[in-house]
Amino acid sequence: MATGGKNLKHIGRFMIVVAVGLLWSAVVSAAPDENYNDWLAMTAHQGAVAPGTVITKRNWQQYQQFMPVGMINMFEGKYFWKMPDDVEIPVGPTIIHPLAPGFQAATEKYGGQARIVTLPNGHHDIQNYQSGAPFPNPSGPDKGIEVMANRWYEPVPRVLASLPTNMDNFCGQDRFGSKACTKTILVYRRLTHNWDPGRPLNDPRLSNVYYTEWLMVEEPEESKYTADLTVYYEDVKQLEDDFVFVPALRRSLRLAVSARCAPLFGSDMTHDDMRGGFNGGISVFDTAFLGQRKILALTEANADDGYFPERYDMPLGFSKPSWGKWGLRLTNVVDVRRIPSMRAGYCYGKRIMFEDAQFYHELWEDLYDSNMKLWKIVWVVRRAAPVPGQGISPNNGDVLETYYDVQNSHASYVTSADRTGTDLLFDEQIPSEYRDLSKYSTPGGLMQIMR
């Protein structure tokens, strides 16, 4: 998702720099922390939005009680990235799709058994978790962390992939309108805490691994075969491992911990932003629960978002009415920050996340830098789609993430649908070649690239 052709040409060189240990010099400032008290007060008594309503630049203030702070800022025109004059948000009824039957059954069987334990070093552990949603009814002093635990173990397919026939689009633009795109393929895999009927709770082949993320650049040609692998462990106290395959070296390198803040493939997204908006784990983050609010969200979108920039409302790169109708979704609003012992040098001071209360995935984020100044506005579209054995899944169709960097006037657009509208593939839909666990879920598999 480079913001210019020059950045794309240097992806390989940049990844090498990251691999040898990019050091981040940001220090948490003593500046006052911008809080959400005014926004929480303004949204405390929410009404409804009638289906058929169309929100525009002329009437948006009537509906700002259903907008996160970042969206309000864009309607106000506070930053370079602002709503186009012709923006239209058509509102329809809120559609609720049931979660996967296996996930619901696991939640009924195991829900409520897990507990949060905070260790002397400030890290958090989740004990007694088996499968499903660990905390069906978050409550108590650890409510925020319980909400994030549900997010971390959200109901996603066992394996999902975007392949050469339906490659991800990673596109970006700068304030001058320069645009460039990277195409990648990906294979994500869930290995433990399984809830798929007829399968063991933990995959015996990698029983200590919870989740793996494998991505590789296919286009442009000069960056082809640059690949990235992240391994998350079943023990949440064990920090994830990051690896990169560098084509120029024909070898893989293990990344430093600081690489969690490094831009992914030259984009405005970091490793800690992947997986739809948050990818940092649970153990090293404190989470404060701010409340529940209904926000406007697009969860029934069609595949028009695969056409960048032709079918986006430019220059912002926002949805057009043809994408589908928005609805009101009840969200858990949380304030997520690195634990104090790991805060120095981390890229973000805080994340304000709006996590869907039904399917446990964020629909919007406002990201603040270490000085607690708004840095990035993250808009997330989750499209419902059929998943084998699950019916219509509310959280696993085409994914669109847009990162608006309001400090540097960059923007990055990610979509898992290609220009033909082809969506992600799941489980048995994926060709057997890409279900190879060793090749796509282990560091050794990176060495099979370019063979």
Side-chain angles (χ1 to χ4, degrees):
M1 268 180 297
T3 54
K6 182 178 180 181
N7 287 342
L8 283 171
K9 293 178 181 178
H10 295 290
I11 287 177
R13 183 185 304 171
F14 177 77
M15 294 301 288
I16 295 173
V17 172
V18 172
V20 297
L22 178 65
L23 296 179
W24 288 81
S25 59
V27 177
V28 174
S29 170
D33 179 6
E34 180 181 335
N35 62 52
Y36 270 58
N37 289 341
D38 290 344
W39 182 86
L40 289 168
M42 186 264 289
T43 59
H45 303 288
Q46 294 179 306
V49 181
T53 298
V54 178
I55 300 172
T56 68
K57 289 285 288 290
R58 295 183 297 278
N59 65 5
W60 71 271
Q61 290 178 311
Q62 301 175 41
Y63 306 101
Q64 62 180 316
Q65 62 179 299
F66 304 107
M67 299 179 184
V69 169
M71 182 181 282
I72 293 173
N73 288 165
M74 290 198 293
F75 268 106
E76 290 176 334
K78 186 174 181 179
Y79 301 103
F80 174 80
W81 298 115
K82 53 194 171 189
M83 289 294 179
D85 290 338
D86 65 350
V87 65
E88 292 186 0
I89 298 177
V91 180
T94 299
I95 299 174
I96 303 295
H97 298 284
L99 302 181
F103 185 86
Q104 293 187 65
T107 301
E108 292 173 4
K109 182 176 181 179
Y110 300 113
Q113 296 181 13
R115 66 190 184 101
I116 302 293
V117 176
T118 300
L119 306 176
N121 62 0
H123 291 234
H124 305 295
D125 189 17
I126 300 180
Q127 297 182 354
N128 303 326
Y129 172 60
Q130 297 295 318
S131 185
F135 300 101
N137 300 293
S139 62
D142 292 323
K143 185 173 182 177
I145 303 175
E146 291 180 2
V147 166
M148 286 303 292
N150 288 340
R151 158 63 174 89
W152 195 244
Y153 296 111
E154 63 181 324
V156 294
R158 192 174 65 261
V159 189
L160 61 87
S162 179
L163 303 180
T165 54
N166 63 319
M167 292 184 288
D168 267 8
N169 291 299
F170 282 57
C171 297
Q173 69 168 333
D174 60 22
R175 67 180 298 126
F176 304 106
S178 299
K179 304 175 184 66
C181 291
T182 299
K183 289 186 177 294
T184 69
I185 62 175
L186 65 83
V187 179
Y188 287 3
R189 188 188 310 268
R190 171 173 52 84
L191 291 120
T192 55
H193 307 297
N194 182 46
W195 42 263
D196 298 88
R199 295 184 177 274
L201 194 65
N202 298 329
D203 192 318
R205 297 172 295 175
L206 287 175
S207 59
N208 69 325
V209 174
Y210 165 56
Y211 205 83
T212 62
E213 300 166 347
W214 181 97
L215 301 93
M216 187 179 76
V217 175
E218 285 282 309
E219 298 177 10
E221 184 66 28
E222 59 266 29
S223 301
K224 189 172 183 177
Y225 302 120
T226 301
D228 189 279
L229 172 69
T230 304
V231 179
Y232 296 92
Y233 295 97
E234 190 275 335
D235 181 356
V236 297
K237 302 186 302 301
Q238 183 175 353
L239 295 180
E240 63 281 335
D241 281 320
D242 295 302
F243 305 88
V244 61
F245 179 79
V246 184
L249 301 179
R250 288 184 175 263
R251 59 171 296 193
S252 62
L253 302 171
R254 186 174 182 173
L255 301 183
V257 174
S258 56
R260 299 300 298 177
C261 281
L264 180 68
F265 298 150
S267 74
D268 296 298
M269 175 193 289
T270 72
H271 280 82
D272 265 7
D273 298 323
M274 293 168 59
R275 239 175 104 190
F278 176 77
N279 207 32
I282 303 169
S283 181
V284 296
F285 289 90
D286 289 329
T287 305
F289 180 77
L290 302 184
Q292 284 193 328
R293 295 292 189 273
K294 291 179 287 186
I295 69 165
L296 290 159
L298 186 56
T299 58
E300 299 293 318
N302 57 42
D304 271 8
D305 52 29
Y307 292 79
F308 179 85
E310 296 93 328
R311 296 190 183 177
Y312 284 62
D313 195 352
M314 303 302 288
L316 177 63
F318 198 66
S319 65
K320 290 187 174 183
S322 60
W323 287 28
K325 296 186 183 300
W326 294 54
L328 287 181
R329 301 290 305 193
L330 182 65
T331 65
N332 295 311
V333 187
V334 292
D335 179 330
V336 184
R337 311 185 188 204
R338 270 284 184 101
I339 60 174
S341 63
M342 298 187 68
R343 196 167 290 170
Y346 186 60
C347 39
Y348 300 126
K350 68 178 179 181
R351 293 172 180 269
I352 302 298
M353 296 176 57
F354 297 79
E355 177 196 288
D356 192 278
Q358 189 242 345
F359 57 72
Y360 308 121
H361 198 93
E362 59 269 30
L363 299 171
W364 193 278
E365 291 184 333
D366 292 331
L367 306 184
Y368 290 75
D369 66 15
S370 57
N371 294 316
M372 297 302 175
K373 302 298 183 183
L374 184 61
W375 182 8
K376 300 175 187 177
I377 296 171
V378 184
W379 168 46
V380 181
V381 174
R382 309 294 298 188
R383 183 160 70 89
V387 176
Q390 298 184 24
I392 301 296
S393 171
N395 186 35
N396 294 304
D398 175 35
V399 179
L400 179 140
E401 303 168 53
T402 303
Y403 291 77
Y404 300 105
D405 183 336
V406 298
Q407 294 187 10
N408 300 293
S409 301
H410 293 168
S412 296
Y413 309 84
V414 186
T415 176
S416 58
D418 69 3
R419 295 179 65 84
T420 67
T422 305
D423 213 334
L424 290 167
L425 300 176
F426 308 106
D427 300 335
E428 283 69 30
Q429 294 176 336
I430 302 169
S432 58
E433 171 192 353
Y434 294 96
R435 283 183 269 145
D436 185 326
L437 183 145
S438 176
K439 186 173 182 179
Y440 295 101
S441 294
T442 69
L446 292 174
M447 297 308 298
Q448 298 182 45
I449 297 174
M450 299 183 71
R451 285 188 177 178

